[in-house]
Amino acid sequence: MTAHNYEAIALRLRDAYSGQTVAPMRDVLEPTDAVGAYAVQEINTRFWEAQGRRIVGRKAGLTAKAVQAQLGVDQPDFGVLFDDMQVADGAVLDPARCIQPKAEAEIAFVLAADLPSPDTMAAQVAEAVASVHAAIEIVDSRIADWKITFADTVADNGSSAFFVLAKQGLPLAGLDLEGAGMEMTFDGTVVSTGSGAAALGNPLNAAAWLAQTLAARGEPLKAGDILLAGALGPMVPLIPGVTVRAAVEGIGTCSFTYGEA
């Protein structure tokens, strides 16, 4: 496929941010075409940077083996986090800014050091972590009815939209990331549960995969970057008016309200 074709696909996805979803892109991207999908994602990343958006980190997706099997792939994916995607802990997210959003609870890291090596392991990630936070990712898809393939979600910036980071973070030392239980509630009713092990066995493993992958692409993670390490339990469609709260055992809580300010 030519660069011109990738540009056309990227434009199709950008136009969908107006609120009109597009059909799955099987006509132009094979379902497992990682090279083409990341090429499309890169085009839109550079476009948005040129528009003044600032990259503040990355998100790992498809970190659960069951989801990988569902989409017929054997690896996670990643998307870019921009500064305007962050929703303050306890703040309101206007439904008008979303299309077909879902929430998932995660563990996030903020880095204190660069991770430049494509051979980065979980232990090196641990040494580079400044703080660990409970987080909520609000995923969204520009693809109609969430009928996505691996290529669809990668090209669509990992089906990303917004994220919430707990105000208070903790040092990594002494935390049980793998065994940390998660509970996400809508207006106090439990809608999703899970644990840190859902993210490739340990969120540090997901972060290491992210560090390796980005370093190999010449875009290494930097000090100050925010890393979302993947869902700890099932994602849940958002309902206007609800307050969403994620509690991660031993790490903290965060929340937002999905409604008009």
Side-chain angles (χ1 to χ4, degrees):
M1 187 175 290
T2 67
H4 175 75
N5 295 128
Y6 292 145
E7 290 281 357
I9 299 168
L11 177 60
R12 184 193 301 188
L13 285 168
R14 288 202 308 273
D15 285 348
Y17 275 79
S18 64
Q20 297 296 318
T21 56
V22 297
M25 295 181 290
R26 293 159 183 73
D27 60 323
V28 287
L29 279 178
E30 290 295 322
T32 57
D33 181 3
V35 172
Y38 278 117
V40 172
Q41 184 188 122
E42 176 74 8
I43 289 167
N44 279 339
T45 297
R46 299 307 159 216
F47 175 87
W48 285 319
E49 279 193 297
Q51 298 297 306
R53 300 179 77 186
R54 182 172 60 88
I55 295 174
V56 295
R58 298 293 197 283
K59 59 154 281 183
L62 305 182
T63 51
K65 294 297 184 182
V67 179
Q68 290 181 16
Q70 183 181 11
L71 293 182
V73 295
D74 60 359
Q75 63 176 319
D77 71 346
F78 71 82
V80 177
L81 301 179
F82 291 98
D83 55 345
D84 58 2
M85 293 169 61
Q86 185 164 3
V87 177
D89 189 4
V92 175
L93 174 61
D94 187 346
R97 301 179 66 191
C98 302
I99 303 172
Q100 44 187 355
K102 303 180 181 185
E104 55 189 35
E106 308 196 10
I107 288 173
F109 304 110
V110 177
L111 296 182
D114 298 351
L115 291 171
S117 172
D119 299 316
T120 297
M121 303 302 289
Q124 275 119 19
V125 174
E127 292 174 357
V129 169
S131 56
V132 183
H133 301 251
I136 301 169
E137 184 181 3
I138 298 93
V139 292
D140 206 346
S141 181
R142 274 49 67 175
I143 307 300
D145 302 319
W146 277 94
K147 292 181 178 177
I148 58 172
T149 65
F150 177 76
D152 286 323
T153 191
V154 168
D156 191 19
N157 195 28
S159 300
S160 61
F162 301 97
F163 67 95
V164 181
L165 206 64
K167 293 176 185 174
Q168 300 299 321
L170 296 176
L172 177 59
L175 297 182
D176 178 13
L177 300 184
E178 181 178 338
M182 176 280 293
E183 187 175 86
M184 185 170 70
T185 60
F186 283 10
D187 289 341
T189 299
V190 176
V191 294
S192 181
T193 60
S195 72
L200 291 185
N202 187 307
L204 287 173
N205 295 336
W209 175 86
L210 198 53
Q212 294 164 9
T213 302
L214 290 167
R217 293 173 62 89
E219 305 171 24
L221 292 167
K222 303 284 189 180
D225 279 352
I226 298 167
L227 311 184
L228 298 181
L232 307 186
M235 59 185 180
V236 183
L238 285 172
I239 303 166
V242 301
T243 293
V244 182
R245 181 179 183 270
V248 184
E249 182 182 12
I251 295 173
T253 66
C254 61
S255 67
F256 75 100
T257 297
Y258 184 58
E260 295 182 10

